[in-house]
């Protein structure tokens, strides 16, 4: 029989924090395939899940402070940053500050972009609310709200009644906070990691899959062939991502196929950008006609 002694400090309390809940889509099917030996192996699956975040994710803030926009205003050096990863999902929270919001968003964006090459899709929700978040416990309406809204994500929906699209949606109160309190770095980095359809904003990692180059500067000669090889390598990577997404999806499940089509369409759009970049390189590499 337990004594009446409390296991938690008497000063335990809920805090107003930024909160994210991110979930791996199609995880049950991946587990069944791993058990049957017909899909991703258990070690590979466990390794992939580490991308959602581990205890080391907090350690880096404790040691170094804010990673993204390190000069942004914060309350605590460690941003009260917490990560709890359980099976196929992760809960992340941070203090309410410009540095807190951008580092939480960056963590979630990083998880999505790292899982993309493995063909793994994510869905989630980022909001603000009350939470009690420690290394071994997560309680609060902020967490519950993020958890409940994750299932109804509608970012970039293709049909009016579509729900559960494969994106990490961002609550308008987060966008408002960045706009009203973020410094230039916070606003710039936020804009690089998100996309809006006019009504809903969500993390959008696909725009990173683009090739950029410089013309001249510091004595560097523009090499069209080298740039085109780089674009071709990117094109191959994007096609591999598509193959892996389609390989993992349960093709007998119309809902799963619909979600995969979102990723495939976004990746196809980046392939179009590769073609446009090739055309630009060709134009820049064409010598000017002699006078």
């Amino acid at each position: 029989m337990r004594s009446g002694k409390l296991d938690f400090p008497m000063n335990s309390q809920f805090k107003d924090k930024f909160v994210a809940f991110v979930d791996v889509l199609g995880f049950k099917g991946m587990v069944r395939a791993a058990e049957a030996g017909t899909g991703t192996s258990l070690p590979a699956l466990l390794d992939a899940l580490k991308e959602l975040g581990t205890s080391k994710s907090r350690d880096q803030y404790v040691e170094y402070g804010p990673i993204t926009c390190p000069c942004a205003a914060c309350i605590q050096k460690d941003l009260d940053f917490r990560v709890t990863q359980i099976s196929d999902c992760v809960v992340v929270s941070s203090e309410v500050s410009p540095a807190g919001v951008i580092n939480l968003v960056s963590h979630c964006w990083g998880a999505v972009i790292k899982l993309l090459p493995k063909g793994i899709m994510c869905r989630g929700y980022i909001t603000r609310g009350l939470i009690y978040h420690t290394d071994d416990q997560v309680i609060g309406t902020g967490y519950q709200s993020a958890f409940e809204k994750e299932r109804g994500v509608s970012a970039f929906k293709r049909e009016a009644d579509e729900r559960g699209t494969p994106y990490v949606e961002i609550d308008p109160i987060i966008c408002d906070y960045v706009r009203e309190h973020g410094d230039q770095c916070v606003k710039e980095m936020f804009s690089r990691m998100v996309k809006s359809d006019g009504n809903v904003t969500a993390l959008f990692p696909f725009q990173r899959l683009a090739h950029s180059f410089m013309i001249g500067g510091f004595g560097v000669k523009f090499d069209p062939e080298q740039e085109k090889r780089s674009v071709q390598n990117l094109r191959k990577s994007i096609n591999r991502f598509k193959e892996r997404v389609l390989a993992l999806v349960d093709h007998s499940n119309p809902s799963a196929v619909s979600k995969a089509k979102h990723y495939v369409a976004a990746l196809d759009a980046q392939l179009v950008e590769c073609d446009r970049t090739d055309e630009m390189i060709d134009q820049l590499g064409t010598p000017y006609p002699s006078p």
Side-chain angles (χ1 to χ4, degrees):
M1 181 175 178
R2 294 182 55 141
S3 68
K5 184 179 179 181
L6 294 173
D7 295 326
F8 297 95
M10 288 295 293
N11 62 351
S12 297
Q13 59 184 332
F14 293 107
K15 295 181 181 179
D16 179 22
K17 300 181 72 176
F18 295 120
V19 183
F21 177 82
V22 180
D23 186 35
V24 168
L25 294 176
F27 189 68
K28 289 182 181 178
M30 295 180 207
V31 171
R32 285 195 294 268
E35 291 177 341
T38 58
T40 303
S41 67
L42 178 57
L45 201 55
L46 292 171
D47 188 62
L49 291 174
K50 289 181 181 179
E51 305 295 1
L52 291 173
T54 67
S55 60
K56 293 182 179 179
S57 302
R58 169 173 165 74
D59 292 343
Q60 64 180 349
Y61 291 102
V62 172
E63 184 172 358
Y64 302 109
I67 307 300
T68 304
C69 298
C71 294
C74 64
I75 300 170
Q76 301 176 199
K77 175 186 174 182
D78 67 359
L79 306 179
D80 198 11
F81 200 89
R82 297 282 181 174
V83 177
T84 300
Q85 190 256 315
I86 305 172
S87 186
D88 61 336
C89 64
V90 67
V91 181
V92 189
S93 71
S94 69
E95 67 179 27
V96 174
S97 71
V101 70
I102 197 60
N103 281 275
L104 180 139
V105 169
S106 181
H107 175 92
C108 297
W109 185 88
V112 174
I113 195 70
K114 290 173 185 175
L115 288 170
L116 174 58
K118 303 176 189 295
I120 296 176
M121 298 183 290
C122 293
R123 186 175 66 209
Y125 200 85
I126 300 176
T127 188
R128 175 178 175 176
L130 293 175
I131 189 172
Y132 174 74
H133 195 179
T134 65
D135 292 339
D136 52 13
Q137 187 59 268
V138 180
I139 300 174
T141 53
Y143 156 63
Q144 292 168 347
S145 177
F147 173 76
E148 292 167 359
K149 291 181 178 179
E150 175 264 336
R151 288 171 288 183
V153 167
S154 62
F156 316 123
K157 60 184 179 182
R158 297 167 177 272
E159 299 176 6
D161 59 349
E162 186 178 9
R163 291 293 182 272
T165 55
Y167 299 98
V168 178
E169 191 170 312
I170 300 175
D171 195 303
I173 63 174
I174 301 294
C175 300
D176 291 344
Y177 185 89
V178 170
R179 183 174 58 254
E180 295 169 9
H181 301 283
D183 61 21
Q184 189 56 42
C185 177
V186 170
K187 292 177 180 178
E188 175 61 27
M189 294 304 296
F190 186 75
S191 69
R192 293 182 187 183
M193 292 184 278
V194 306
K195 182 178 179 180
S196 174
D197 63 5
N199 296 305
V200 178
T201 300
L203 298 184
F204 198 77
F206 307 99
Q207 54 203 19
R208 180 178 177 178
L209 303 175
H211 177 68
S212 60
F213 55 87
M214 293 181 61
I215 305 237
F218 304 103
V220 178
K221 183 179 179 181
F222 176 63
D223 184 343
E225 293 306 315
Q226 176 60 46
E227 299 298 344
K228 293 193 75 170
R229 284 193 293 271
S230 296
V231 174
Q232 182 58 17
N233 288 335
L234 176 59
R235 188 180 282 112
K236 290 178 180 178
S237 294
I238 294 173
N239 279 314
R240 281 198 301 270
F241 299 167
K242 286 176 56 180
E243 291 171 2
R244 290 170 183 170
V245 167
L246 293 173
L248 284 181
V249 72
D250 180 358
H251 291 274
S252 67
N253 184 336
S255 177
V257 172
S258 176
K259 292 176 177 61
K261 286 181 178 179
H262 275 274
Y263 265 49
V264 170
L267 291 168
D268 281 339
Q270 295 309 121
L271 289 175
V272 172
E273 289 301 314
C274 286
D275 294 339
R276 290 174 178 167
T277 302
D278 272 342
E279 293 174 2
M280 184 184 302
I281 292 171
D282 285 338
Q283 293 173 1
L284 294 171
T286 301
Y288 289 105
S290 301

